[in-house]
Amino acid sequence: MKLACFGAGRIGGVHARNAAAHRDVILAALVDPIDTPQRAALAEQTGAKISAAEDVFADDSIDGIIIASSTNSHAGLLEQAAASGKAVFCEKPISLDFGLTAVVVDKVEASGIPCMMGFQRRYDASFLAARQRIDSGISGPIEQLSMWSRDPSPPPRSYLETSGGMFRDSTIHDADMLRFFLREEIASVYAVGASLISPDIGAAGDIDSLMVTVTTVSGRQGQITACRRGPMGYDQRLEALCANEVLTIGNQPQSMLSVACPTGGLQSPPENYFIERFTQAYRDEMAAFVAMIRDGIPPHAGIRDGYEAQRLVEAAIVSARTGQPIQYGKDWRP
Amino acid sequence: MKLACFGAGRIGGVHARNAAAHRDVILAALVDPIDTPQRAALAEQTGAKISAAEDVFADDSIDGIIIASSTNSHAGLLEQAAASGKAVFCEKPISLDFGLTAVVVDKVEASGIPCMMGFQRRYDASFLAARQRIDSGISGPIEQLSMWSRDPSPPPRSYLETSGGMFRDSTIHDADMLRFFLREEIASVYAVGASLISPDIGAAGDIDSLMVTVTTVSGRQGQITACRRGPMGYDQRLEALCANEVLTIGNQPQSMLSVACPTGGLQSPPENYFIERFTQAYRDEMAAFVAMIRDGIPPHAGIRDGYEAQRLVEAAIVSARTGQPIQYGKDWRP
Amino acid sequence: MKLACFGAGRIGGVHARNAAAHRDVILAALVDPIDTPQRAALAEQTGAKISAAEDVFADDSIDGIIIASSTNSHAGLLEQAAASGKAVFCEKPISLDFGLTAVVVDKVEASGIPCMMGFQRRYDASFLAARQRIDSGISGPIEQLSMWSRDPSPPPRSYLETSGGMFRDSTIHDADMLRFFLREEIASVYAVGASLISPDIGAAGDIDSLMVTVTTVSGRQGQITACRRGPMGYDQRLEALCANEVLTIGNQPQSMLSVACPTGGLQSPPENYFIERFTQAYRDEMAAFVAMIRDGIPPHAGIRDGYEAQRLVEAAIVSARTGQPIQYGKDWRP
Amino acid sequence: MKLACFGAGRIGGVHARNAAAHRDVILAALVDPIDTPQRAALAEQTGAKISAAEDVFADDSIDGIIIASSTNSHAGLLEQAAASGKAVFCEKPISLDFGLTAVVVDKVEASGIPCMMGFQRRYDASFLAARQRIDSGISGPIEQLSMWSRDPSPPPRSYLETSGGMFRDSTIHDADMLRFFLREEIASVYAVGASLISPDIGAAGDIDSLMVTVTTVSGRQGQITACRRGPMGYDQRLEALCANEVLTIGNQPQSMLSVACPTGGLQSPPENYFIERFTQAYRDEMAAFVAMIRDGIPPHAGIRDGYEAQRLVEAAIVSARTGQPIQYGKDWRP
């Protein structure tokens, strides 16, 4: 199977290397308009040819594309993939413009191309084990879901400016997890946000600390607590109160070494950041992309999940701005 | 020092025994209108004389009273204590009728009697250690506070009927903890609640599962997740994201024994319920009552804290009922 | 029931206070030849009368005595108790002279007085829960037992001089635990010891770091690792590999507060030392003494257990001195 | 760089795949005398040519060989590698015949070929982090070292018959860790062993449960507890009491999911077995082999370490057989 990767940055590098290392994949092309040493190195490591986008879409031997380029290119690439009938793996978000997201999702679905969203947490062993345990029936239904999502430190100002804001950039992953675990129509969304940790973020009109509360139509409750800074490092936890038991996903320590000294016992800190924390999840996600193309196995997250996660954060944005809860439902639009 | 205890039920028994065991205290009187074997046994264990309320208030040798009787008697006893100049230790809540609470609190303050509220979590070693660590400055200010409060199983229907509902009966403790840790004026209160676990509770018009989100005037955020049932047992945890570190208070295991078997490692479950979990906190709280009377040392929770915690849950009740966040502040009243 | 306590030092204070606080006990007498402020305070707190030993033994109203005085007085007091028919609670060891221990134990047993040894770990909730779980059959038989026993810091030189050495003074508790858990005749004992942490200890001819290995007649294995200094604080752990599962007893933290910071997660250190760690065990032990006298309930540790634990450490001492394992068995004597 | 791999079994598969996946390596040859589907699949996955041993040694373009074939072939292959000047990565043990081991090690050293032993634990992140922390000086010197080594379940009888016994087959890894951490001449070795868990093992004259105690010339103490069965799964832990702190290496859980239910909190079990537990260590070990060949970087474990670990287990074997401790030292030979 031949794949092409758009984007030679940090996340592009992860996906390109995982694709190239997959037994059944040839990474045929790497597309990135900017000629950097990083692009050259990635091409060499993966054996991919540095290519132009139009050549990729024109090449019938390429089965699928990986969209890991800058956010503002996602929508256009999705449309071209739909037009040329290529399978797509797309990093979130589809577009910072929700209207455009809606249009593109419709086009992709109409085209019938297999399309998978890059919500890698759905492929993480711990999150997946929780999902499967609930699916087995042993836990009983979730009644209250709590999630934490904290980066080790705030992103640089340059990143913030094109990020679309904390909700769209970061909380979209947590919104996806809410949907992945609650699996019921959401009735209300309430969010608060503030800039507490970084004058830069506040000056840019963005927030860095937020809480979101949702309810489902049957009254079940979900909660996200997120911050652009986690003093204990990268913090990605979840706790699901189910009828029969409570499931907890903790952070993954860097090693199993702990140290006990007079002031207490020191555990190893969590894996630094998403690249380290989700190393295996990214591999498994790429394998799922291959399996989707080759065997038609549905991925854990399709294009519609990308749309719905984004719709949910748009509601949170409106709530945080107006101070009012959103009466959500199937048909709410920002 | 001579004390009298009102109430020979579960919590009355705890306070009476702790008072009687205190080196400097004679528990002179036990007041409970109902003649039960439990009352007789408690009198015998503590050496207290079963007495009438009027005799207690008329007895000048009695320095202070412990109010651990049924909720609807609290306000009246507080007023009598104020009138007779006796120090008071009062279990929450002051009254289920917030208007009456306000009146009584004013009277108590006007009387100048020393008065302490029974928020025992403020005397627990773990919660206190967290408070002290933050006070030391090492942690930096709290930015996001999360709390869990879950009982092992729902109370019986008879209890529910006079409880005032889950917010007033149970969440008042968590509201007090929000205040104890945030120590800043609260700007907004939003709550959702549902009856998810018990048809009895729903039929009684009460809820059993709730989430509360508050913000302070500077934008800091607090959250309570509570349920009348905790499948892992009694669940009282707190997590404070501070600028420099994250403080976590876990549940207290019944023992330090854990068992590793092919399905994983099994930790000892948490202490059964509040009586077991807060055994030492109740002792320390009674010692603080003695120290307040004898040495004038201010308690961790005074009558005004009882009023403010109750005002906060009243706001949560209104929010949960209307679906709207409350614009809180110093002057909000239900 | 009337009891008398011999010894007003640290451990005497613990037992005297627990006895006095017991509902069914009057602590009638406190015996300590040295007039210290500590003795006076303890007498006042417990209501005990400072008495002479001969008056205690002559007083028929006194049902039992607590021997918590200096080690060299234990044997004589046991003999007097046997002669006067009083029940005894005796702190370890019976005598630093094993020959004398053997003689005294025979006399006590011949007298028929109820006698209990102060091995408080047998009354600790965690150690007891492990013992009971194994007794229930769920764990299967123990195959390999590991224990750690570390003090927070070495004792002062003055203490060392009359302690009988680390094996007799400290490891006797671990030897008792080996017997409590293995419950099978011990076939071999091998020990190594060194002075690694304190020149004082080495100069006194004692050791501060030791390991003991025992086998039972059926080949099961036990191990003790002990040190006079524990850099993580007071360290009392046990791990039992059983046929079906592994039981682990961890240290008891001072609080449930943990702190996560950039260098990792910091757990609360263990309880400082045996007084704090075994507070409840000492209470339960005293209650067992009362139950033994009043109801004839056999204690977890009798005088013969005191003898056998001491015999085991004598074997370890010989092994550590000679470098050879001891062929142990029922009849081995030092 | 071109490498050849001897052995297409379980561990041969791990090394062959890691070598083939290394950016700088071409796995040119796979040597295994038995034509199995496993051999064919491994050749296909790695791109290696199924070859004869003599062709590998005759091929000057092959830089190094990986010895992961059956134990009885190791010595001969090491000699051929020494003769042909090829670098070697060798799985333990060198030979079950210690005399032959000594001869071969001398030959390899005389030849000057770079040679590395497959003690993968030296490359594990947790064990390495402990080693580095001690090296940094922060921990202070190790005084007491405890290690556990337990397989999830006993090996099949067929494996046992050619394994050389539990000490040589399995405990050699722990012996290497004792040396890796203690880094001082060992003065005494004492071991006990029994067949407790498997009649098959006893019938084969082997043991399945053992404890080893060593002392160093300065009196420091080390201990191994090992069993062919671990009811909690694969158990590889270490605890080092150092002068300033205690280092603990725990087992690596399969996921970060834990479950709290009425009977307690259930942690995820450890990784199944060495292949899963040391996945990354095996990768890093192969990278170290490449770095040794290419850049002359000394590996964490050389051929002399293989010899010394084996010498230590030979002493343990003699001790367990005779019941006597071994006066060890530089010159002890079995």
Side-chain angles (χ1 to χ4, degrees):
Chain A
M1 180 184 311
K2 279 191 183 172
L3 301 180
C5 181
F6 289 77
R10 184 168 53 175
I11 192 67
V14 170
H15 292 315
R17 277 187 289 265
N18 284 338
H22 193 289
R23 197 168 297 167
D24 302 340
V25 169
I26 293 166
L27 189 70
L30 177 65
V31 184
D32 197 303
I34 309 172
D35 181 2
T36 60
Q38 198 179 1
R39 186 185 75 166
L42 186 59
E44 202 211 321
Q45 289 162 22
T46 57
K49 191 181 157 201
I50 294 169
S51 309
E54 52 269 31
D55 294 339
V56 167
F57 289 111
D59 183 346
D60 284 349
S61 75
I62 291 180
D63 301 283
I65 66 166
I66 298 159
I67 303 179
S69 45
S70 60
T71 294
N72 60 11
S73 68
H74 291 190
L77 291 169
L78 279 163
E79 293 192 346
Q80 286 180 273
S84 61
K86 294 196 188 310
V88 178
F89 173 97
C90 185
E91 270 300 315
K92 59 85 214 168
I94 294 165
S95 165
L96 295 178
D97 173 346
F98 185 73
L100 181 52
T101 292
V103 168
V104 168
V105 169
D106 285 345
K107 282 190 188 164
V108 166
E109 291 192 336
S111 77
I113 58 165
C115 185
M116 171 175 176
M117 285 302 293
F119 288 134
Q120 88 285 351
R121 238 181 278 172
R122 292 193 180 211
Y123 286 93
D124 175 69
S126 300
F127 287 87
L128 212 46
R131 180 66 264 171
Q132 288 165 347
R133 190 168 174 103
I134 295 169
D135 288 345
S136 78
I138 195 171
S139 307
I142 295 181
E143 291 158 1
Q144 294 185 314
L145 181 66
S146 301
M147 296 172 55
W148 298 260
S149 187
R150 289 173 184 142
D151 292 341
S153 54
R157 183 145 190 181
S158 58
Y159 179 91
L160 291 168
E161 278 163 5
T162 61
S163 70
M166 185 182 177
F167 279 107
R168 286 190 191 96
D169 178 51
S170 172
T171 307
I172 190 170
H173 279 291
D174 309 305
D176 180 59
M177 280 292 106
L178 277 183
R179 294 186 62 252
F180 186 57
F181 279 96
L182 289 176
R183 284 197 181 161
E184 187 186 0
E185 192 177 320
I186 288 173
S188 72
V189 179
Y190 175 76
V192 296
S195 171
L196 296 175
I197 64 161
S198 157
D200 270 12
I201 290 175
D206 199 0
I207 59 168
D208 48 44
S209 303
L210 63 85
M211 287 187 174
V212 178
T213 304
V214 305
T215 58
T216 68
V217 291
S218 71
R220 295 151 68 217
Q221 299 152 8
Q223 205 264 351
I224 299 167
T225 297
C227 186
R228 285 288 199 184
R229 181 190 61 196
M232 87 293 263
Y234 186 52
D235 184 18
Q236 292 289 329
R237 286 169 296 143
L238 178 149
E239 185 168 300
L241 173 78
C242 303
N244 306 330
E245 59 187 24
V246 179
L247 306 184
T248 303
I249 300 172
N251 287 319
Q252 194 165 299
Q254 288 178 23
S255 84
M256 300 316 298
L257 176 64
S258 58
V259 179
C261 49
T263 48
L266 192 67
Q267 308 295 311
S268 172
E271 293 284 9
N272 272 332
Y273 205 12
F274 64 95
I275 300 290
E276 294 86 359
R277 169 63 183 85
F278 292 110
T279 301
Q280 188 60 41
Y282 284 121
R283 280 190 202 123
D284 293 347
E285 190 181 50
M286 191 49 59
F289 183 46
V290 173
M292 177 182 76
I293 300 177
R294 193 183 49 203
D295 308 318
I297 297 173
H300 289 322
I303 186 89
R304 184 55 58 182
D305 294 302
Y307 170 84
E308 287 292 344
Q310 198 169 345
R311 193 166 70 91
L312 195 51
V313 295
E314 295 293 337
I317 291 168
V318 175
S319 174
R321 197 180 58 230
T322 61
Q324 296 302 312
I326 302 301
Q327 303 310 310
Y328 202 69
K330 278 195 304 290
D331 301 321
W332 185 89
R333 295 287 178 287
Chain B
M1 179 184 313
K2 280 192 182 171
L3 299 181
C5 181
F6 289 78
R10 184 167 56 174
I11 192 67
V14 170
H15 292 316
R17 276 187 289 265
N18 285 338
H22 193 288
R23 196 168 298 167
D24 301 340
V25 170
I26 292 166
L27 190 68
L30 177 65
V31 185
D32 197 303
I34 311 171
D35 181 1
T36 60
Q38 198 179 359
R39 187 184 74 165
L42 186 60
E44 202 212 321
Q45 289 162 23
T46 58
K49 189 181 159 202
I50 295 171
S51 310
E54 51 271 30
D55 294 338
V56 167
F57 289 110
D59 182 346
D60 284 348
S61 76
I62 291 181
D63 301 283
I65 67 165
I66 298 161
I67 303 179
S69 45
S70 61
T71 294
N72 60 10
S73 67
H74 292 190
L77 291 169
L78 279 163
E79 292 191 347
Q80 287 180 271
S84 61
K86 295 199 186 308
V88 179
F89 173 96
C90 185
E91 269 299 315
K92 59 83 210 167
I94 295 164
S95 165
L96 295 178
D97 173 346
F98 185 74
L100 181 53
T101 292
V103 168
V104 167
V105 168
D106 286 345
K107 282 189 189 166
V108 166
E109 291 192 335
S111 78
I113 59 165
C115 185
M116 170 176 177
M117 285 300 294
F119 288 135
Q120 89 284 352
R121 236 180 281 172
R122 292 193 180 212
Y123 287 93
D124 175 69
S126 300
F127 286 87
L128 212 46
R131 179 67 263 171
Q132 288 165 346
R133 190 169 174 102
I134 295 169
D135 288 345
S136 78
I138 196 171
S139 307
I142 294 182
E143 291 157 2
Q144 295 185 314
L145 180 67
S146 302
M147 295 172 56
W148 297 260
S149 187
R150 289 173 184 143
D151 293 340
S153 53
R157 184 147 190 178
S158 58
Y159 180 91
L160 291 167
E161 279 162 6
T162 61
S163 70
M166 184 181 178
F167 278 107
R168 286 189 193 95
D169 177 54
S170 173
T171 308
I172 190 170
H173 278 291
D174 310 304
D176 180 60
M177 281 292 107
L178 276 183
R179 294 185 63 251
F180 187 57
F181 279 97
L182 288 176
R183 284 197 181 160
E184 188 185 359
E185 192 177 320
I186 288 172
S188 71
V189 179
Y190 176 77
V192 296
S195 170
L196 296 175
I197 63 161
S198 157
D200 270 13
I201 291 174
D206 198 359
I207 58 169
D208 49 43
S209 304
L210 64 85
M211 287 187 174
V212 178
T213 304
V214 305
T215 59
T216 67
V217 291
S218 71
R220 295 151 69 216
Q221 299 152 10
Q223 206 266 348
I224 298 166
T225 297
C227 186
R228 285 287 198 183
R229 180 189 62 198
M232 88 292 263
Y234 186 52
D235 184 19
Q236 292 289 328
R237 287 169 296 143
L238 177 149
E239 185 168 301
L241 174 78
C242 303
N244 305 330
E245 59 188 24
V246 180
L247 305 184
T248 303
I249 299 172
N251 287 320
Q252 194 165 298
Q254 289 179 22
S255 84
M256 300 316 297
L257 175 64
S258 59
V259 179
C261 49
T263 48
L266 192 67
Q267 309 295 310
S268 172
E271 293 284 8
N272 273 333
Y273 205 12
F274 63 95
I275 301 290
E276 295 87 357
R277 169 64 183 85
F278 293 109
T279 300
Q280 188 60 39
Y282 284 121
R283 279 190 202 123
D284 293 347
E285 192 181 49
M286 191 49 59
F289 182 47
V290 173
M292 177 183 76
I293 300 176
R294 193 183 51 202
D295 307 319
I297 297 174
H300 289 323
I303 186 89
R304 184 55 58 183
D305 295 303
Y307 170 84
E308 286 293 342
Q310 197 169 345
R311 193 167 70 92
L312 196 51
V313 296
E314 295 294 337
I317 290 168
V318 175
S319 174
R321 195 180 60 229
T322 62
Q324 297 301 312
I326 302 300
Q327 302 311 309
Y328 202 70
K330 278 195 301 293
D331 302 321
W332 186 89
R333 294 286 178 288
Chain C
M1 179 183 312
K2 280 191 181 172
L3 300 181
C5 181
F6 289 77
R10 184 167 56 173
I11 193 68
V14 169
H15 293 315
R17 275 187 290 266
N18 285 338
H22 193 288
R23 196 167 299 167
D24 302 339
V25 170
I26 292 167
L27 190 70
L30 177 66
V31 185
D32 197 302
I34 311 170
D35 182 1
T36 60
Q38 199 179 359
R39 187 184 73 165
L42 186 59
E44 202 212 321
Q45 289 162 24
T46 58
K49 189 182 160 202
I50 294 171
S51 309
E54 50 271 30
D55 295 338
V56 167
F57 288 111
D59 183 346
D60 284 348
S61 75
I62 291 181
D63 301 283
I65 67 166
I66 298 161
I67 303 179
S69 46
S70 62
T71 294
N72 60 11
S73 67
H74 291 191
L77 291 170
L78 279 163
E79 293 192 346
Q80 288 180 269
S84 61
K86 295 199 186 306
V88 178
F89 173 96
C90 185
E91 268 300 314
K92 58 85 210 164
I94 294 164
S95 165
L96 294 178
D97 173 345
F98 185 74
L100 181 52
T101 292
V103 169
V104 168
V105 168
D106 286 345
K107 284 190 188 165
V108 166
E109 290 192 335
S111 77
I113 59 166
C115 185
M116 171 175 175
M117 286 300 294
F119 288 135
Q120 88 285 351
R121 237 179 281 171
R122 292 194 180 211
Y123 287 93
D124 175 69
S126 300
F127 286 87
L128 212 46
R131 179 66 264 169
Q132 288 165 347
R133 190 169 174 102
I134 294 169
D135 288 344
S136 77
I138 196 171
S139 307
I142 293 182
E143 291 158 1
Q144 296 186 314
L145 181 67
S146 302
M147 296 172 56
W148 297 259
S149 187
R150 289 173 184 142
D151 292 341
S153 55
R157 182 146 190 179
S158 58
Y159 179 91
L160 290 168
E161 278 162 7
T162 61
S163 70
M166 184 181 179
F167 279 108
R168 286 190 191 96
D169 177 52
S170 173
T171 307
I172 190 170
H173 278 291
D174 309 305
D176 180 60
M177 281 291 107
L178 276 183
R179 294 185 63 253
F180 186 57
F181 279 97
L182 289 177
R183 285 198 180 159
E184 187 185 359
E185 192 176 322
I186 288 173
S188 71
V189 179
Y190 176 76
V192 297
S195 170
L196 296 175
I197 64 161
S198 158
D200 269 13
I201 290 175
D206 198 0
I207 58 168
D208 49 42
S209 304
L210 64 85
M211 287 187 174
V212 179
T213 305
V214 305
T215 59
T216 68
V217 291
S218 72
R220 295 150 69 216
Q221 299 152 9
Q223 207 264 349
I224 298 167
T225 297
C227 186
R228 285 288 198 183
R229 181 190 61 198
M232 88 292 264
Y234 186 51
D235 184 18
Q236 293 288 330
R237 286 169 296 143
L238 177 149
E239 186 168 300
L241 174 76
C242 303
N244 305 330
E245 59 188 22
V246 180
L247 305 185
T248 302
I249 300 172
N251 287 319
Q252 194 165 298
Q254 289 178 22
S255 84
M256 300 315 297
L257 176 64
S258 60
V259 179
C261 49
T263 48
L266 192 67
Q267 309 295 311
S268 172
E271 293 284 9
N272 272 332
Y273 205 12
F274 63 95
I275 300 291
E276 294 87 357
R277 169 63 182 85
F278 293 110
T279 301
Q280 188 61 39
Y282 284 121
R283 281 191 201 122
D284 293 347
E285 192 181 48
M286 191 48 59
F289 182 47
V290 173
M292 178 182 75
I293 300 177
R294 193 183 50 202
D295 307 318
I297 297 173
H300 290 322
I303 186 88
R304 183 56 56 183
D305 295 302
Y307 170 84
E308 286 292 343
Q310 197 169 345
R311 193 166 70 91
L312 195 51
V313 294
E314 295 294 338
I317 290 168
V318 175
S319 174
R321 196 181 60 229
T322 62
Q324 296 302 313
I326 302 301
Q327 302 312 310
Y328 202 69
K330 277 194 304 290
D331 301 321
W332 186 88
R333 295 285 180 288
Chain D
M1 180 185 311
K2 280 191 181 172
L3 300 180
C5 180
F6 289 78
R10 184 167 55 174
I11 193 66
V14 169
H15 293 315
R17 276 187 290 265
N18 284 339
H22 192 288
R23 197 168 297 167
D24 302 340
V25 170
I26 292 166
L27 189 70
L30 177 65
V31 184
D32 196 302
I34 309 171
D35 182 1
T36 59
Q38 198 179 0
R39 187 185 73 165
L42 186 59
E44 202 211 322
Q45 289 162 23
T46 58
K49 192 182 157 200
I50 294 170
S51 309
E54 52 270 30
D55 295 339
V56 167
F57 289 110
D59 183 346
D60 284 349
S61 76
I62 290 180
D63 300 283
I65 67 165
I66 298 160
I67 303 179
S69 45
S70 60
T71 293
N72 61 10
S73 68
H74 291 190
L77 291 170
L78 278 164
E79 293 192 345
Q80 287 180 272
S84 61
K86 295 199 187 307
V88 178
F89 173 97
C90 185
E91 270 299 317
K92 58 85 212 167
I94 294 164
S95 166
L96 294 178
D97 173 345
F98 185 73
L100 181 53
T101 292
V103 168
V104 167
V105 168
D106 285 346
K107 282 191 189 165
V108 165
E109 290 192 336
S111 78
I113 59 165
C115 185
M116 171 176 176
M117 285 301 294
F119 288 134
Q120 88 286 352
R121 237 180 279 173
R122 292 194 180 211
Y123 286 94
D124 174 69
S126 300
F127 287 86
L128 212 47
R131 180 65 264 171
Q132 288 165 347
R133 190 167 174 103
I134 295 168
D135 288 345
S136 77
I138 196 171
S139 307
I142 294 181
E143 292 158 2
Q144 296 184 315
L145 181 66
S146 302
M147 296 172 55
W148 298 260
S149 188
R150 289 173 184 142
D151 292 340
S153 53
R157 183 147 190 179
S158 58
Y159 179 91
L160 291 167
E161 278 162 6
T162 61
S163 70
M166 184 181 177
F167 279 108
R168 286 190 191 96
D169 177 52
S170 172
T171 308
I172 190 169
H173 278 291
D174 309 306
D176 180 60
M177 281 292 106
L178 277 183
R179 294 186 62 251
F180 187 57
F181 279 96
L182 288 177
R183 284 196 181 161
E184 187 186 0
E185 192 177 320
I186 288 172
S188 71
V189 179
Y190 176 76
V192 296
S195 171
L196 296 174
I197 64 162
S198 157
D200 270 11
I201 290 175
D206 199 0
I207 58 168
D208 49 43
S209 303
L210 64 85
M211 287 187 175
V212 179
T213 304
V214 305
T215 59
T216 68
V217 291
S218 71
R220 296 151 68 217
Q221 299 152 9
Q223 205 266 349
I224 298 167
T225 297
C227 185
R228 285 288 198 184
R229 181 190 61 197
M232 88 292 264
Y234 186 52
D235 184 18
Q236 292 290 326
R237 286 169 296 143
L238 177 149
E239 185 168 302
L241 173 78
C242 303
N244 305 330
E245 59 187 24
V246 180
L247 306 184
T248 302
I249 300 173
N251 287 319
Q252 193 166 299
Q254 288 178 23
S255 84
M256 300 316 298
L257 176 64
S258 58
V259 179
C261 49
T263 48
L266 191 67
Q267 308 295 310
S268 171
E271 293 283 10
N272 272 334
Y273 205 13
F274 64 94
I275 300 291
E276 294 85 358
R277 169 64 182 84
F278 292 111
T279 302
Q280 188 61 40
Y282 284 121
R283 280 191 201 121
D284 293 347
E285 191 181 50
M286 191 50 58
F289 182 46
V290 172
M292 177 182 76
I293 300 177
R294 193 183 49 202
D295 307 319
I297 297 173
H300 289 322
I303 186 89
R304 184 55 57 182
D305 294 303
Y307 170 84
E308 287 293 343
Q310 197 169 345
R311 193 165 71 91
L312 195 51
V313 295
E314 295 294 337
I317 290 168
V318 175
S319 173
R321 196 180 58 228
T322 61
Q324 296 303 311
I326 302 300
Q327 303 311 309
Y328 202 69
K330 278 195 304 291
D331 301 321
W332 186 89
R333 294 288 178 287

